[in-house]
């Protein structure tokens, strides 16, 4: 034992070196954590008992059957090392005496774990089996190990690893072990290359480490023997089931089995829910009748999984084929058919094929169908049609269809071998054929008289060629043509498709002087070819037409004349010649209407249009008048045409300044963006007066003080060009020029007021008197002088009146007599 004097220092050093961990211990007055396997100097001072009073005596420690612990000068000590695996904690009672009575308290000593145990495998002989077909990563066995150190500490945290595989065929990396759980599974190579015939047993060298696999951890090695078993997990044989099985249901139809670890089964595929199910033993059941016409086979995937839902092996397939039963009647794709047969069709002519379908298996006799003709409306005459028993071909059985009804309705039945049947109707329309040509009622029509001034659209005559075929059909319709006599297309044929009547209509203006007689050859044919016979003379007729002469109006060569004349042209110039002629060769007289200002004249017989005086485009740019052409022998016959005279612009106007600028001003010092907007105008057209250009006089002072900035073609801004200009009225000289070549220009001297302004932009200087303008004093003087002259004139008038009308004595009130004024 150490010297008493050195004891406190030694105890203090030991206490500082002891790690305290009280988590495993509880319920004591004093908790002390002590590491196990202490190999230092004994006695080993553990802690000072702080709970003792100052005047205690007779200190005793109890509860230690092995006599490990003791007390010395308030310090608890141990006489030998502690082992956590043997006893993790000690509960001690410390008692002492005071002046009053004896007292005690509990001290819990918790042994702190150290990594002093090597992990060991639970089983000495570790064996497992792996089934062929097992998927990658699915565990087939688990390796277990224990560590006696504290379970929830790093000392007992185990990690597994695979050290070696024997033999290393067909790959050296066939297996995998989970480092935490110890579960052994196949790698991707192992799952694809495992073959019991190549190698039926493997030995795996595995290692387990504590301390979570750190480099300084304890470890143990072991051997795992893995047996490779055959694959019982395979697709079952296909199953053939008859549709509409009578039951009872469910019916077992197949079975699968996974012979490895515990497994659960499920089914996947395109089938109604719960139609197929599988039991926990792998038995597959059919739960309801099947319908081959709805689905004739099923491809069922059988999935095998672990209880945790992880798939063990690839799914296997079960093919279920549904056998046919004759449970469907033959049906036609449509309830009614429509077809046409020609009236001249020969016996045996096929007119339609009807085909019924049976949803039973096409590889069986259940789909064999027989056809029968069971009804005909109208019934007479009978035996017109027949249907082939096997093919469903409907054909003509009569020698001829001429003279029969225009339409028949047939009832056809389709029946299978079991007698199941259905029917459809066939509407047969007997089509008329063109075996009768159209015939005119007479060979010649006319002669017809029509005046030469008849309007276009006038009807000449209407004729009809009759046809004996069925009314309304193509064989009855008639196409009329003018075979000759209408080479200039003077006439047009209009056919009424409802009656077959044709109307001969005038389509061009007639001219007796050119053609006075027309002989037209009219033919009639059907739009479809004749089946029998041919077109003969009866299908042709002649129409004679005479044109009666009428005195006609003159005709002008143009309905509208467009004439252009430059303004300022010398009068008397011929600007256009109006040309016309009279169909009857009569002379024509020309005159003007609408020329109210008499600017133009026209030659009475020549039609020459002339100007009478020079024209000004700025006065009027367009003149429109009417030229009248009158028949020289009948003044009631006339024709007219419009003449529009466009006056071409000449640059004969100079631009001018527009507006009053006397009241406007510019501020000095110069205000930003302040300017006078100057407007100009040119009376010429855009060609000459389009863009107007403003330019200052070529004077250095003017160009220094002022600036012109164009705004558009007719406006510009006038502004100060310098920051300050003395307040005054300035004359700004500039020129306005047009855009013609050569240009015309106007020189302007514009008075511009420049004044100081207040903050609101108002001019603070009185406007300067413009030259030539009267002053206020002169205006007042002129006004007073005017009043004096007027007063003098009135005085003279009244004086003269007094002498001319002396007063006469009278009782009449003179104030009632009006004043007579004679000037």
């Amino acid at each position: 034992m150490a010297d008493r004097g050195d004891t406190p220092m030694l105890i203090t050093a030991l206490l500082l070196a002891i790690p305290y961990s009280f988590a495993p211990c509880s319920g004591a007055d004093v908790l002390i954590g002590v590491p196990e396997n202490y190999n230092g100097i004994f006695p080993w001072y553990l802690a000072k008992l702080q709970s003792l009073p100052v005047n205690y005596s007779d200190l005793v420690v109890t509860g230690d059957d092995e006599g490990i612990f003791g007390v010395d000068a308030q310090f608890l000590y141990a006489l030998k090392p502690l082992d956590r695996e043997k006893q993790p904690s000690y509960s001690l009672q410390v008692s002492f005496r005071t002046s009053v009575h004896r007292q005690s308290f509990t001290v819990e000593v918790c042994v702190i774990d150290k990594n002093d145990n090597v992990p060991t495998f639970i089983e000495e002989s570790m064996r497992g089996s792996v089934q062929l077909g097992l998927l990658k990563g699915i565990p087939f066995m688990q390796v277990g190990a224990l560590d006696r150190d504290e379970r929830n500490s790093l000392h007992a945290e185990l990690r597994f690893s695979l050290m070696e595989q024997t033999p290393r065929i067909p790959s050296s990396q066939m297996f995998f072990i989970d480092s935490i759980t110890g579960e052994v599974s196949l790698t991707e190579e192992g799952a694809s290359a495992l073959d019991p015939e190549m190698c039926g047993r493997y030995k795996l060298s595995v290692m387990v480490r504590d301390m979570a696999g750190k480099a300084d951890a304890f470890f143990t090695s072991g051997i795992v023997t893995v047996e490779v078993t055959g694959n019982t997990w395979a697709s079952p044989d296909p199953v053939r089931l008859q549709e509409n099985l009578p039951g009872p249901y469910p019916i077992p139809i197949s079975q699968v089995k996974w012979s490895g670890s515990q497994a659960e089964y499920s089914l996947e595929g395109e089938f109604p829910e719960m139609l197929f199910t599988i039991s926990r033993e792998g038995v597959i059941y059919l739960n309801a009748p099947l319908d081959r016409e709805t689905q004739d086979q099923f491809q069922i995937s059988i999935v095998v999984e672990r209880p945790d839902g992880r798939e063990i092996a690839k799914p296997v397939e079960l093919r279920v084929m549904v056998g046919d039963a004759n449970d469907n009647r033959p049906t036609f794709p449509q309830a009614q058919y429509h077809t046409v047969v020609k009236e001249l069709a020969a016996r045996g002519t096929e007119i339609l094929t009807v085909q019924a379908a049976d949803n039973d298996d096409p590889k069986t006799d259940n789909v064999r169908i027989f056809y029968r003709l069971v009804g005909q409306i109208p019934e007479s005459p009978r035996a017109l049609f027949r249907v082939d028993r096997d093919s469903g071909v409907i054909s003509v059985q009569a020698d001829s269809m001429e003279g029969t009804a225009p339409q028949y309705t047939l009832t056809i039945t389709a029946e299978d071998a079991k007698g199941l049947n259905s029917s459809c109707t066939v509407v047969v329309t007997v089509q008329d054929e063109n075996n009768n040509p159209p015939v005119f009622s007479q060979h010649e029509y006319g002669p017809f008289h029509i005046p030469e001034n008849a309007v276009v659209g006038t009807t000449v005559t209407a004729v009809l060629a009759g046809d004996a075929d069925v009314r309304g059909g193509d064989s009855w319709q008639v196409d009329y043509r003018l075979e000759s006599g209408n080479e200039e297309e003077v006439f047009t044929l209009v056919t009424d498709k409802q009656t077959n009547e044709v109307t001969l209509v005038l389509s061009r203006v007639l001219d007796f002087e050119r053609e006075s007689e027309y002989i037209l050859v009219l033919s009639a044919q059907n739009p479809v070819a004749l089946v029998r016979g041919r077109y003969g003379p009866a299908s042709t007729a002649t129409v004679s037409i005479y044109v009666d002469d009428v005195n006609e109006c003159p005709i002008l060569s143009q309905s509208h004349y467009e004439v252009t004349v430059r303004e300022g042209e010398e009068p008397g110039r011929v600007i256009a010649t109006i040309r016309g002629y009279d169909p009857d060769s009569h002379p024509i007289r020309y005159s003007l209407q609408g020329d109210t200002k008499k600017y133009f004249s026209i030659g009475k017989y020549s039609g020459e249009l002339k100007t009478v005086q020079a024209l000004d485009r700025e006065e009027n740019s367009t003149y429109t008048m009417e030229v009248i052409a009158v028949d020289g022998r009948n003044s009631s016959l006339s024709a007219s045409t419009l003449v529009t005279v466009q006056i071409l612009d000449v640059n004969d106007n100079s631009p001018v300044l527009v507006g009053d600028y006397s009241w406007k001003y510019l501020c000095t010092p110069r205000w930003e963006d302040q300017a006078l907007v100057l407007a100009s105008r040119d009376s010429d057209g855009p060609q000459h007066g389009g863009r107007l250009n403003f330019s200052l006089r070529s004077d250095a002072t003017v160009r220094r003080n002022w600036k012109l900035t164009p705004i558009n073609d007719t406006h510009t801004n006038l502004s100060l060009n310098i920051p300050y200009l003395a307040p005054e009225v300035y004359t700004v000289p500039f020129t306005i020029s047009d855009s013609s070549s050569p240009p015309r220009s106007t020189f302007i001297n514009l008075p511009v007021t420049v004044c100081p302004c207040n903050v609101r932009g108002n001019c603070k200087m009185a406007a300067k008197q413009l030259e030539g303008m009267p002053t206020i004093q002169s205006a007042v003087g002129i006004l007073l002088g005017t009043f004096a002259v007027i007063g003098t004139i009135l005085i003279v008038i009244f004086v003269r009146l007094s002498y001319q009308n002396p007063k006469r004595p009278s009782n009449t009130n003179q104030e009632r007599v009006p004043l007579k004024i004679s000037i």
Side-chain angles (χ1 to χ4, degrees), residues 197-275:
E197 295 184 1
M198 181 179 295
C199 181
R201 176 182 296 172
Y202 290 91
K203 290 188 179 294
L204 308 179
S205 174
V206 297
M207 176 184 291
V208 59
R209 290 174 174 267
D210 62 9
M211 297 295 289
K214 292 184 179 180
D216 58 348
F218 293 120
F219 64 88
T220 300
S221 299
I223 300 298
V224 177
T225 302
V226 179
E227 299 286 345
V228 181
T229 61
N231 186 5
T232 61
W233 183 249
S235 296
D237 295 334
V239 176
R240 187 175 185 86
L241 301 175
Q242 193 74 7
E243 66 175 332
N244 303 320
L245 287 176
Y249 292 91
I251 300 174
I253 60 174
S254 187
Q255 185 174 9
V256 293
K257 178 67 177 177
W258 175 262
S259 60
S261 57
Q262 184 181 0
E264 295 180 357
Y265 307 100
S266 61
L267 302 180
E268 295 179 354
E270 297 293 330
F271 54 84
E273 188 177 1
M274 298 305 294
L275 180 61

Side-chain angles (χ1 to χ4, degrees), residues 532-587:
R532 293 180 183 173
R534 62 186 181 84
Y535 297 105
S539 297
T540 304
T542 301
V543 180
S544 301
I545 302 171
Y546 292 137
V547 181
D548 296 334
D549 187 27
V550 175
N551 189 10
E552 300 166 79
C553 297
I555 298 175
L556 297 175
S557 60
Q558 293 178 222
S559 62
H560 187 197
Y561 286 81
E562 292 279 351
V563 181
T564 58
V565 180
R566 290 172 59 88
E567 66 175 328
E569 283 280 355
E570 182 180 351
R573 177 175 173 268
V574 177
I575 61 175
T577 300
I578 310 303
R579 300 192 182 278
Y581 72 95
D582 189 280
D584 304 302
S585 301
H586 297 165

Side-chain angles (χ1 to χ4, degrees), residues 267-398:
L267 302 180
E268 295 179 354
E270 297 293 330
F271 54 84
E273 188 177 1
M274 298 305 294
L275 180 61
F276 299 98
T277 56
I278 187 169
S279 69
R280 299 184 60 165
E281 293 75 24
V283 179
I284 302 171
Y285 293 94
L286 172 66
N287 297 309
L290 300 175
D291 183 7
R292 190 202 67 83
E293 287 70 42
T294 301
Q295 191 168 347
D296 60 355
Q297 65 175 341
F298 300 88
Q299 200 73 19
I300 302 174
S301 296
I302 307 168
V303 180
V304 59
E305 298 174 336
R306 298 198 329 166
D308 62 2
R310 294 180 65 187
E311 194 171 350
I312 296 175
K314 293 182 179 179
V316 295
E317 302 292 329
L318 171 63
R319 184 184 178 195
V320 178
M321 295 168 290
V322 184
D324 184 47
N326 192 1
D327 57 348
N328 291 280
R329 67 178 66 250
T331 57
F332 290 97
Q334 56 194 75
Q336 191 175 79
Y337 296 83
H338 292 267
T339 187
V340 175
V341 60
K342 295 182 179 181
E343 67 173 330
L344 301 180
R347 181 187 182 94
T349 301
E350 296 181 1
I351 59 175
L352 181 68
T353 299
V354 291
Q355 290 286 331
D358 194 311
N359 287 332
D360 291 321
D361 190 350
K363 299 178 182 178
T364 66
D365 288 339
N366 296 336
V367 297
R368 188 175 181 186
I369 300 172
F370 305 98
Y371 300 93
R372 288 187 299 120
L373 175 61
V374 297
Q376 171 188 304
I377 299 174
E379 297 181 354
S380 178
R382 306 185 68 82
L384 288 178
F385 306 95
R386 67 178 297 274
V387 61
D388 186 82
R389 181 173 181 270
D390 296 315
S391 66
V393 174
I394 302 173
S395 58
V396 177
Q397 190 170 350

Side-chain angles (χ1 to χ4, degrees), residues 498-539:
Q498 303 299 320
T499 63
N500 263 350
E501 186 180 61
V502 63
T503 302
L504 185 64
V505 179
L506 182 66
S507 62
R508 287 193 177 183
V509 176
L510 297 173
D511 186 355
F512 173 83
E513 288 73 24
R514 182 176 181 183
E515 192 73 43
S516 61
E517 182 182 5
Y518 293 92
I519 305 298
L520 308 178
V521 177
L522 179 64
S523 68
Q525 295 184 6
N526 299 120
V528 296
L530 277 173
V531 177
R532 293 180 183 173
R534 62 186 181 84
Y535 297 105
S539 297

Side-chain angles (χ1 to χ4, degrees), residues 129-130 133-141 176 183-187 191 258 261-262 304-306 308-313:
S129 64
V130 58
L134 188 69
L135 292 177
K136 159 196 168 183
I138 301 300
F140 58 85
M141 67 173 294
F176 170 79
E183 291 179 331
V184 182
S185 60
L186 291 172
T187 62
W258 175 262
S261 57
Q262 184 181 0
V304 59
E305 298 174 336
R306 298 198 329 166
D308 62 2
R310 294 180 65 187
E311 194 171 350
I312 296 175

Side-chain angles (χ1 to χ4, degrees), residues 651 688 738-745:
N651 192 16
H688 301 295
D738 61 21
S739 55
S740 183
S741 179
R744 294 179 68 95
S745 61

Side-chain angles (χ1 to χ4, degrees), residues 67-78:
I68 300 176
F69 300 97
V71 177
D72 181 16
Q74 298 186 10
F75 283 93
L76 179 67
Y77 61 84

